[in-house]
């Protein structure tokens, strides 16, 4: 399989028999570790068999339908909070400081600045060694994960100036993890999460504050140097088969200079192709506006880019309007509107055709109504009870996002407007995050979701629909509750939010056939109304004829007198019977009088 999926599966299977001989021998010898060794052996054999079957099936499809070979989608998690600190992911590292003190450390810069480099390095080495372990990779493989996305800072290779408090030393732990991943058929995609000057001002860029990366070409050049140093190290250490993806810069702010951003992308792409070749996938951030990349890296661009992707990040819990939604509205938001959002790029020409930029979602989560914050950790130190209603919705929400973010064009067409719109092939997703320390962030913890059952274990090579009996987004919409009781409780509280209560008793909808008598009755009422209207018109016409018959033009003139003759004619007001008692004097038109008639005759 290419870099878009299943990477490293075959090397693991090929090396399986050799690497596991010692374990098998220990089982036969009855050593104390034999039981665990047998369990590990069986698990790895089962996973190897599943991967092999998926790859054989994919190859068979490709042989039978040239040009339509089915690829394995990206199904990944982020190893966040590991090589670039994020306080909310592992708050115990910052426990000695008051989280509500403005001067307390909030990111890796202030953390090391407060501790000093020696103490910071001591603590971070312990953290790097323990946050991601071999057991972590084993659990991810058993859950069906195919990829991990690893945030790194530009200082990982030692480019740290005197006034920068960062420490390096992360690489040996990254290399160790890549080895574990390769053994288990998991692909590693690196992501440059932090750049000098900060590309977004977020804590995950290394320093919370202003985004000043684009204000200095020195920042840009240091970032390019970091890209080259990292990929050269990957090549030198022999990890090209395991590290098959590279993200050039995470979440650049939408206010970053657009043209400088694109120039950086071009130069960084050229560096990666020069060192690692065409097999490594290169992906870029969408600057929170995917439409602005519709023209980028296509046929008209000076750089002929291949194996490239545009990365979007989708979260509901940071937007108040989305946090207030019912479970069904959340599913609809994902299946329809987030799908359309992803599909905005990348197109060219008319009728539109896809450009070289593929699409995937690099970050998403199961959190939907609570925004991460120190206040949330203080007010909800223990996560909300996993009620039946919340469990059902979390599972629906996760499946809807998985199915949407790895959808084929045929999957997406029914949800796009207008009907018949062109649809892209979405290449997959990375969940944020693989693990969370604070109990308040249960819905961000992939491995916990797998253990608790609201995140499914995935079968490689099968779509969500195939694995779950033809399940579609429409099915999940129909299953989701259209009320908020027991599921939605926004945090921070929304001032004008009022939940939608669930009915105590279900509403019984009568069978479709029971509405037929009602339709018949309505039709009869319509016919009766039409008959009455016809009778009224006939009566008015009779009045008009009677009036005009006796040459009363003032009665016959105008629409209002046609419909309401009695209001304008005293004779008609007394009823039709009075016509027999009234003597009308006909008026002789002047044009009929003879010219030589006597004057008295005219009078």
């Amino acid at each position: 399989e290419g870099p878009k999926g299943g990477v490293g599966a075959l090397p693991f299977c090929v090396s399986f028999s050799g690497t596991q001989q010692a374990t098998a021998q220990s089982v036969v010898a009855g050593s104390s570790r034999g039981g665990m060794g047998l369990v590990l052996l069986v698990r790895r054999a089962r996973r190897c068999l599943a991967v092999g079957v998926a790859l054989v099936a994919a190859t068979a499809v490709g042989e039978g339908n040239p040009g339509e070979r089915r690829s394995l989608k990206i199904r990944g998690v982020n190893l966040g909070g590991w090589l670039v600190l994020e306080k909310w992911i592992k708050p115990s590292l910052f426990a000695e400081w008051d989280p509500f003190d403005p001067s307390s450390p909030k990111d890796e810069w202030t953390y090391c600045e407060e501790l000093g480099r020696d103490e910071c390095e001591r603590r971070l080495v312990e953290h790097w060694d323990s946050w991601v372990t071999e057991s972590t990779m084993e659990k991810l493989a058993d859950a069906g994960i195919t990829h991990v996305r690893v945030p790194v800072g530009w200082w990982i290779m030692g480019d740290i100036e005197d006034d920068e408090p960062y420490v390096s030393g992360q690489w040996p732990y990254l290399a160790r993890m890549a080895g574990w991943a390769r053994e288990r058929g998991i692909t590693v995609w690196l992501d440059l999460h932090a750049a000098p000057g900060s590309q977004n001002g977020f804590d995950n860029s290394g320093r919370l504050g202003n985004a000043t990366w684009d204000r200095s070409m020195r920042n840009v050049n240091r970032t390019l140097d970091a890209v080259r140093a990292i990929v050269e190290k990957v090549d030198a250490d022999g990890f090209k088969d395991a590290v098959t993806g590279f993200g050039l810069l995470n979440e650049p702010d939408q206010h970053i200079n657009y043209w400088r951003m694109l120039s950086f992308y071009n130069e960084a792409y050229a560096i990666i192709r020069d060192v690692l070749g065409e097999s490594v996938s290169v992906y870029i951030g969408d600057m929170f506006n995917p439409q602005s990349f519709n023209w980028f890296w296509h046929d008209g661009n000076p750089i002929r880019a291949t194996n490239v992707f545009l990365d979007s990040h989708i979260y509901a819990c940071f937007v108040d309007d989305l946090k207030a939604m019912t479970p069904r509205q959340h599913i609809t938001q994902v299946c329809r509107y987030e799908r359309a959002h992803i599909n905005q790029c990348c197109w060219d020409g008319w009728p539109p055709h896809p450009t070289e930029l593929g699409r995937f979602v690099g970050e998403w989560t199961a959190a939907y109504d609570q925004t991460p914050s120190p206040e949330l950790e203080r007010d909800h130190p223990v996560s909300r009870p996993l009620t039946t209603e919340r469990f059902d919705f979390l599972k629906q929400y996760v499946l809807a996002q998985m199915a949407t973010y790895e959808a084929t064009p045929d999957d997406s067409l029914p949800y796009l407007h207008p009907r018949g719109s062109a649809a892209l092939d979405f290449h997959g997703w990375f969940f944020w995050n693989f693990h969370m320390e604070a109990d308040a962030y249960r819905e961000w913890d992939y491995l916990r979701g797998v253990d608790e059952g609201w995140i499914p274990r995935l079968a490689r090579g099968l779509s969500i629909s195939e694995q779950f009996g033809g399940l579609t987004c429409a099915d999940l919409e129909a299953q989701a509750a259209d009320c908020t009781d027991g599921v939605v409780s926004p945090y921070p509280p929304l001032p004008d939010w009022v939940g939608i209560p669930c009915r105590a008793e279900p509403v019984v909808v009568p069978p479709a056939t029971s509405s037929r008598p009602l339709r018949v009755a309505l039709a009869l009422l319509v016919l009766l109304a039409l008959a009455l209207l016809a009778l009224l018109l006939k009566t008015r016409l009779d009045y008009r004829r009677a009036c005009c018959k006796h040459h009363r033009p003032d009665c016959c003139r105008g629409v209002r007198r046609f419909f309401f003759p009695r209001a304008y004619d005293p004779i008609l007001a007394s009823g039709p019977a009075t016509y027999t008692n009234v003597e009308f004097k006909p008026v002789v038109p002047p044009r009929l009088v003879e010219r030589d008639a006597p004057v008295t005759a005219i009078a």
Side-chain angles (χ1 to χ4, degrees):
E1 187 65 14
K4 297 177 185 177
V7 185
L10 291 181
F12 158 65
C13 292
V14 170
S15 63
F16 175 80
S17 58
T19 57
Q20 301 306 320
Q21 286 180 358
T23 302
Q25 291 171 357
S26 69
V27 174
V28 174
S31 68
S32 60
R33 298 174 59 188
M36 289 302 295
L38 179 61
V39 172
L40 182 62
L41 184 64
V42 172
R43 283 183 178 177
R44 293 188 177 181
R46 182 182 60 198
R47 185 166 59 254
C48 176
L49 178 62
V51 173
V53 170
L55 291 175
V56 171
T59 304
V61 172
E63 293 173 351
N65 299 283
E68 297 180 4
R69 184 175 184 275
R70 178 175 180 172
S71 64
L72 300 177
K73 300 286 187 175
I74 298 168
R75 291 173 168 178
V77 296
N78 286 274
L79 303 186
W82 182 34
L83 305 182
V84 177
L85 292 188
E86 295 189 42
K87 178 183 174 183
W88 68 292
I89 293 177
K90 193 175 181 183
S92 63
L93 288 172
F94 298 79
E96 63 193 84
W97 297 287
D98 180 3
F100 300 100
D101 181 356
S103 63
S104 64
K106 301 292 191 299
D107 48 42
E108 189 157 343
W109 177 291
T110 52
Y111 181 81
C112 290
E113 188 177 49
E114 181 73 19
L115 293 173
R117 282 185 174 172
D118 291 342
E119 179 63 15
C120 180
E121 183 176 6
R122 186 190 69 79
R123 295 190 186 190
L124 287 184
V125 165
E126 181 180 345
H127 166 66
W128 298 331
D129 184 57
S130 60
W131 187 238
V132 176
T133 65
E134 187 173 12
S135 175
T136 302
M137 305 310 294
E138 185 71 23
K139 291 177 182 178
L140 292 175
D142 285 342
I145 290 300
T146 63
H147 292 63
V148 290
R149 178 172 175 259
V150 186
V152 298
W154 88 84
W155 58 86
I156 187 172
M157 302 309 301
D159 178 16
I160 302 172
E161 297 185 343
D162 293 340
D163 60 346
E164 295 171 339
Y166 298 116
V167 296
S168 62
Q170 300 92 335
W171 187 264
Y173 302 96
L174 175 60
R176 182 180 68 175
M177 182 278 301
W180 293 334
R182 179 165 54 189
E183 290 177 2
R184 291 159 176 82
I186 296 177
T187 296
V188 178
W189 281 24
L190 301 180
D191 188 86
L192 191 58
H193 235 61
S198 180
Q199 73 278 13
N200 54 32
F202 301 155
D203 61 344
N204 57 46
S205 71
R207 188 176 190 182
L208 185 66
N210 297 321
T212 62
W213 173 81
D214 61 329
R215 299 181 188 177
S216 166
M217 278 306 299
R218 189 166 182 275
N219 290 338
V220 177
N221 291 331
R222 287 183 71 193
T223 309
L224 291 170
D225 291 341
V227 171
R228 180 173 290 278
I230 293 170
V231 296
E232 286 179 346
K233 185 66 172 174
V234 169
D235 185 42
D237 286 2
F239 283 112
K240 286 177 64 175
D241 62 327
V243 179
T244 65
F246 197 99
L248 300 184
L249 200 57
N250 176 66
E251 292 184 347
D253 187 76
Q254 58 186 334
H255 301 297
I256 291 289
N257 184 286
Y258 178 69
W259 300 108
R260 180 160 289 180
M261 188 79 258
L262 299 189
S263 176
F264 166 77
Y265 283 159
N266 281 333
E267 294 187 54
Y269 173 84
I271 290 172
I272 292 175
R273 289 289 173 258
D274 179 56
V275 177
L276 298 180
E278 299 287 335
S279 63
V280 173
S281 300
V282 177
Y283 64 96
I284 59 176
D286 65 2
M287 300 180 72
F288 304 101
N289 184 17
Q291 284 181 301
S292 62
F293 289 88
N294 268 311
W295 67 276
F296 189 58
W297 278 349
H298 66 85
D299 292 341
N301 195 285
I303 290 184
R304 180 74 175 183
T306 58
N307 194 11
V308 288
F309 297 88
L310 184 69
D311 172 20
S312 291
H313 298 171
I314 296 176
Y315 293 112
C317 61
F318 296 105
V319 181
D320 286 351
D321 288 344
L322 301 184
K323 287 160 59 177
M325 286 181 170
T326 66
R328 182 173 299 171
Q329 289 171 335
H330 274 292
I331 303 297
T332 301
Q333 175 70 23
V334 169
C335 294
R336 298 181 183 275
Y337 304 110
E338 302 301 355
R339 187 190 306 266
H341 173 77
I342 302 170
N343 202 61
Q344 289 177 347
C345 187
C346 300
W347 300 97
D348 184 42
W350 188 263
H353 61 272
T355 69
E356 287 76 6
L357 271 174
R359 298 289 276 123
F360 74 88
V361 176
E363 294 183 19
W364 63 279
T365 187
Y368 56 94
D369 65 340
Q370 296 193 335
T371 304
S373 66
E375 291 78 10
L376 177 63
E377 298 168 26
R378 176 196 63 197
D379 297 342
H380 298 278
V382 178
S383 62
R384 296 176 290 183
L386 191 60
T387 62
T388 301
E389 294 82 3
R390 181 168 287 113
F391 177 89
D392 290 343
F393 169 63
L394 286 175
K395 190 169 185 178
Q396 293 160 356
Y397 194 43
V398 166
L399 286 172
Q401 294 189 80
M402 288 179 172
T404 297
Y405 305 154
E406 60 182 56
T408 65
D410 288 341
D411 295 334
S412 293
L413 284 176
Y415 298 94
L416 297 177
H417 181 80
R419 298 282 178 168
S421 299
L424 290 169
D425 187 19
F426 302 159
H427 292 277
W429 45 265
F430 291 88
F431 185 95
W432 190 281
N433 193 30
F434 83 103
H435 177 58
M436 303 293 290
E437 184 181 63
D439 192 58
Y441 299 125
R442 158 194 268 147
E443 293 148 9
W444 296 81
D445 191 327
Y446 194 92
L447 289 176
R448 181 173 181 178
V450 171
D451 290 340
E452 294 179 345
W454 47 269
I455 293 182
R457 296 181 184 273
L458 301 175
R460 290 198 181 194
L462 296 180
S463 68
I464 295 298
S465 179
E466 291 167 342
Q467 182 175 346
F468 295 95
L471 185 71
T472 66
C473 253
D475 298 329
L476 293 167
E477 284 185 85
Q479 295 170 10
D482 203 19
C483 54
T484 58
D485 287 355
V487 181
V488 181
S489 54
Y491 190 94
L494 303 178
D496 299 323
W497 181 77
V498 178
I500 300 176
C502 299
R503 295 177 179 270
E505 296 293 335
V507 177
V508 179
V509 179
T513 55
S514 65
S515 62
R516 185 175 179 182
L518 179 60
R519 293 199 300 268
V520 172
L522 289 175
L524 290 175
L525 287 175
V526 170
L527 291 175
L528 179 60
L530 291 175
L532 291 175
L533 180 61
L535 181 61
L536 175 62
L537 291 175
K538 183 178 182 302
T539 302
R540 297 308 181 198
L541 287 173
D542 289 342
Y543 288 162
R544 183 171 182 269
R545 291 192 192 100
C547 179
C548 296
K549 180 179 178 181
H550 298 287
H551 307 287
R552 292 186 60 85
D554 59 326
C555 173
C556 304
R557 188 184 303 118
V559 175
R560 295 187 67 187
R561 293 193 178 185
F562 165 68
F563 283 104
F564 306 103
R566 295 189 182 187
Y568 297 91
D569 194 309
I571 297 176
L572 291 178
S574 62
T578 59
Y579 283 97
T580 58
N581 302 320
V582 177
E583 180 180 359
F584 288 94
K585 295 182 180 181
V587 177
V588 180
R591 57 186 169 81
L592 298 180
V593 179
E594 298 180 5
R595 292 183 181 277
D596 56 350
V599 177
T600 55
I602 297 176

